Amino acid sequence: MSTTSQAILSQGGLFEDQDQAPAQMDFFSFAPNLTLPTFGCHQSLKAFSTIPPSLASDSPSSNLSGTLISSATTRDDITSDFIGSQLLSLHRSSANLWAWGDMGDCLASKRDIGGDLDGHHLGVSTLKMKKIKARRKVREPRFCFKTMSDVDVLDDGYKWRKYGQKVVKNTQHPRSYYRCTQDNCRVKKRVERLAEDPRMVITTYEGRHVHSPSHDMEESQAPSQLNNFFW
DNA sequence: CGTTTTTGACCGGCGC
DNA sequence: GCGCCGGTCAAAAACG
């Protein structure tokens, strides 16, 4: 992955589930108020963690939300300039929205308040709301983002092992399933190229890492938890 | 030879 | 209950 051209780049957005990722980039402002946990998975997302610790803390009650535009595929690409210029629309959220069900409730109540009947701009149909409710069980926190990239699997500093691949209906690109290789870490991610626009890759993370990125161990010797707050 | 990928089988949830 | 579909398993192959 650290091959020749890293100069890929990417525009991305964050959504709490892949179903909600808009097909077109114009919809980017689509979910400015949705919250997302500070997973610290993908470098783009990690950019969130470079915001003041008060915002990036692990506390579920201080989740971040926003829309992200990034232009890097490697951690080295992330500079403070990058963060300043590429990270957009960051908000603090007071709600605890880790669980899926809660996420659904949040969306639902927002819609009620706003009286937004068509709900189209939110990209969540009433049908889907039901679906979310039905899945209320216990779901790992999950989110996805979309990037424009010619590499499928972006280097996010973690080590992944592929455990499956599937062609899903109505798509011509297979979806790949990965699991974090770290023992006891059950984080999964799936990667899929958009049918509408093959330049776009949708990456969905599920769960939270119980460790820091493995890369850091090898190269620059073990980072302190403080440094780790950056990556 | 240990680790990762590939790929068909299998399984569970859901709609009909 | 049955079939479809997405997600996972696991044996075999590929890789380094």
Coordinates of all heavy atoms in Angstrom, one line a residue, chain A residues 94-129:
Chain A
S94 N -24.2 16.8 22.5 CA -24.3 16.5 23.9 C -24.9 15.1 24.1 O -24.8 14.5 25.1 CB -25.2 17.5 24.6 OG -26.5 17.6 23.9
A95 N -25.5 14.7 23.1 CA -26.2 13.4 23.2 C -25.3 12.2 23.2 O -24.2 12.2 22.6 CB -27.3 13.2 22.1
N96 N -25.7 11.2 23.8 CA -25.0 9.9 23.8 C -25.6 9.1 22.7 O -26.7 8.6 22.9 CB -25.0 9.2 25.1 CG -24.3 7.9 25.0 OD1 -23.9 7.4 23.9 ND2 -24.2 7.2 26.1
L97 N -24.9 9.0 21.6 CA -25.6 8.3 20.5 C -24.8 7.1 20.0 O -24.7 6.8 18.8 CB -25.7 9.3 19.3 CG -26.6 10.5 19.7 CD1 -26.6 11.5 18.5 CD2 -28.0 10.0 19.9
W98 N -24.2 6.4 20.9 CA -23.4 5.2 20.5 C -24.2 4.1 19.9 O -23.9 3.5 18.9 CB -22.7 4.7 21.7 CG -21.5 5.5 22.0 CD1 -21.5 6.6 22.8 CD2 -20.2 5.4 21.5 NE1 -20.3 7.2 22.8 CE2 -19.4 6.4 22.0 CE3 -19.6 4.5 20.6 CZ2 -18.1 6.6 21.7 CZ3 -18.2 4.6 20.4 CH2 -17.5 5.7 20.9
A99 N -25.3 3.9 20.6 CA -26.1 2.7 20.1 C -27.0 3.1 18.9 O -27.4 4.2 18.7 CB -27.0 2.3 21.3
W100 N -27.2 2.1 18.2 CA -28.0 2.2 16.9 C -29.4 2.7 17.2 O -29.9 3.6 16.5 CB -28.0 0.9 16.2 CG -27.1 0.9 15.1 CD1 -25.7 1.1 15.2 CD2 -27.3 0.7 13.8 NE1 -25.2 1.0 14.0 CE2 -26.1 0.8 13.1 CE3 -28.5 0.5 13.1 CZ2 -26.1 0.7 11.7 CZ3 -28.4 0.4 11.7 CH2 -27.2 0.5 11.0
G101 N -30.0 2.1 18.1 CA -31.3 2.4 18.4 C -31.5 3.9 18.8 O -32.3 4.6 18.3
D102 N -30.5 4.3 19.6 CA -30.5 5.7 20.0 C -30.3 6.6 18.8 O -30.9 7.7 18.7 CB -29.4 6.0 21.0 CG -29.7 5.2 22.3 OD1 -30.9 4.9 22.5 OD2 -28.8 5.0 23.1
M103 N -29.5 6.2 18.0 CA -29.3 7.0 16.8 C -30.6 7.2 16.0 O -30.9 8.2 15.6 CB -28.3 6.2 15.9 CG -27.8 7.0 14.7 SD -26.5 8.1 15.2 CE -25.1 7.0 15.2
G104 N -31.3 6.1 15.9 CA -32.6 6.1 15.2 C -33.5 7.1 15.9 O -34.2 7.9 15.2
D105 N -33.6 7.0 17.2 CA -34.5 7.8 17.9 C -34.1 9.3 17.7 O -35.0 10.1 17.5 CB -34.4 7.5 19.4 CG -35.0 6.2 19.7 OD1 -35.7 5.7 18.9 OD2 -34.8 5.6 20.8
C106 N -32.8 9.5 17.7 CA -32.4 10.9 17.5 C -32.9 11.4 16.2 O -33.4 12.5 16.1 CB -30.8 10.9 17.6 SG -30.1 12.5 17.0
L107 N -32.7 10.7 15.2 CA -33.1 11.1 13.8 C -34.6 11.3 13.8 O -35.1 12.3 13.3 CB -32.7 10.1 12.8 CG -31.2 10.0 12.5 CD1 -30.9 8.8 11.6 CD2 -30.8 11.3 11.8
A108 N -35.3 10.4 14.4 CA -36.7 10.5 14.4 C -37.2 11.8 15.1 O -38.0 12.5 14.6 CB -37.3 9.3 15.1
S109 N -36.7 12.0 16.2 CA -37.1 13.2 17.0 C -36.7 14.5 16.2 O -37.5 15.5 16.2 CB -36.5 13.2 18.4 OG -35.1 13.3 18.3
K110 N -35.6 14.5 15.6 CA -35.2 15.7 14.9 C -36.2 15.9 13.8 O -36.6 17.0 13.5 CB -33.8 15.4 14.2 CG -32.7 16.0 15.1 CD -31.4 15.8 14.4 CE -30.3 16.2 15.3 NZ -29.1 15.4 15.2
R111 N -36.6 14.9 13.1 CA -37.6 15.0 12.0 C -38.9 15.6 12.6 O -39.5 16.5 12.0 CB -37.8 13.7 11.4 CG -39.0 13.7 10.4 CD -38.6 13.1 9.1 NE -37.2 12.8 9.0 CZ -36.8 11.6 8.8 NH1 -37.7 10.6 8.6 NH2 -35.5 11.3 8.8
D112 N -39.3 15.1 13.7 CA -40.6 15.6 14.3 C -40.5 17.1 14.6 O -41.4 17.8 14.2 CB -40.9 14.8 15.6 CG -41.3 13.4 15.3 OD1 -41.6 13.1 14.1 OD2 -41.2 12.6 16.2
I113 N -39.4 17.4 15.2 CA -39.3 18.8 15.6 C -39.2 19.7 14.3 O -39.9 20.7 14.2 CB -37.9 19.0 16.4 CG1 -38.1 18.4 17.7 CG2 -37.6 20.5 16.5 CD1 -36.8 18.2 18.5
G114 N -38.5 19.3 13.4 CA -38.3 20.1 12.2 C -39.5 20.1 11.3 O -39.7 20.9 10.4
G115 N -40.4 19.1 11.5 CA -41.5 19.0 10.6 C -41.1 18.7 9.2 O -41.9 19.0 8.3
D116 N -40.0 18.1 9.1 CA -39.5 17.8 7.7 C -40.1 16.6 7.2 O -39.7 15.5 7.4 CB -38.0 17.6 7.8 CG -37.4 17.4 6.5 OD1 -38.1 17.4 5.5 OD2 -36.2 17.2 6.4
L117 N -41.2 16.7 6.5 CA -42.0 15.6 6.2 C -41.4 14.7 5.1 O -41.4 13.5 5.3 CB -43.4 16.0 5.7 CG -44.3 16.5 6.8 CD1 -45.7 17.0 6.3 CD2 -44.5 15.4 7.8
D118 N -40.8 15.2 4.1 CA -40.3 14.3 3.1 C -39.0 13.6 3.6 O -38.8 12.5 3.2 CB -40.0 15.0 1.8 CG -38.8 16.0 1.9 OD1 -38.2 16.0 2.9 OD2 -38.6 16.7 0.9
G119 N -38.3 14.2 4.5 CA -37.2 13.5 5.1 C -36.1 13.1 4.1 O -35.2 12.4 4.4
H120 N -36.3 13.6 3.0 CA -35.3 13.1 1.9 C -33.9 13.7 2.1 O -33.0 13.0 1.8 CB -35.9 13.5 0.5 CG -36.0 12.4 -0.4 ND1 -37.0 11.5 -0.3 CD2 -35.1 12.0 -1.4 CE1 -36.8 10.6 -1.3 NE2 -35.7 10.9 -1.9
H121 N -33.9 14.9 2.6 CA -32.6 15.5 2.7 C -31.8 14.8 3.8 O -30.5 14.8 3.7 CB -32.8 17.0 3.1 CG -33.3 17.8 2.0 ND1 -32.6 17.9 0.8 CD2 -34.5 18.4 1.8 CE1 -33.3 18.7 0.0 NE2 -34.5 19.0 0.6
L122 N -32.4 14.2 4.7 CA -31.7 13.4 5.7 C -31.2 12.0 5.1 O -30.4 11.4 5.7 CB -32.5 13.2 6.9 CG -32.5 14.4 7.8 CD1 -33.4 14.2 9.0 CD2 -31.1 14.8 8.3
G123 N -31.8 11.7 4.0 CA -31.4 10.4 3.4 C -31.9 9.2 4.2 O -31.4 8.1 4.1
V124 N -32.9 9.4 5.1 CA -33.4 8.3 5.8 C -34.9 8.2 5.6 O -35.6 9.1 6.0 CB -33.1 8.6 7.3 CG1 -33.6 7.3 8.1 CG2 -31.7 8.8 7.6
S125 N -35.3 7.2 5.0 CA -36.7 7.0 4.8 C -37.4 6.5 6.0 O -36.7 6.0 6.9 CB -36.9 6.1 3.6 OG -36.5 4.8 4.0
T126 N -38.7 6.7 6.1 CA -39.4 6.1 7.2 C -39.2 4.6 7.3 O -39.2 4.0 8.3 CB -40.9 6.5 7.2 OG1 -41.3 6.3 5.8 CG2 -41.1 8.0 7.5
L127 N -39.1 4.1 6.1 CA -38.9 2.6 6.0 C -37.7 2.2 6.8 O -37.6 1.3 7.6 CB -38.8 2.2 4.6 CG -39.2 0.8 4.3 CD1 -39.5 0.6 2.8 CD2 -38.0 -0.2 4.6
K128 N -36.6 3.0 6.5 CA -35.4 2.7 7.1 C -35.4 2.9 8.6 O -34.8 2.2 9.4 CB -34.3 3.5 6.5 CG -32.9 3.2 7.0 CD -31.8 3.8 6.2 CE -32.0 3.5 4.7 NZ -31.8 2.1 4.4
M129 N -36.2 3.8 9.0 CA -36.3 4.1 10.5 C -36.8 2.8 11.2 O -36.3 2.4 12.2 CB -37.3 5.2 10.8 CG -36.8 6.5 10.3 SD -35.2 7.0 11.0 CE -35.6 6.6 12.7

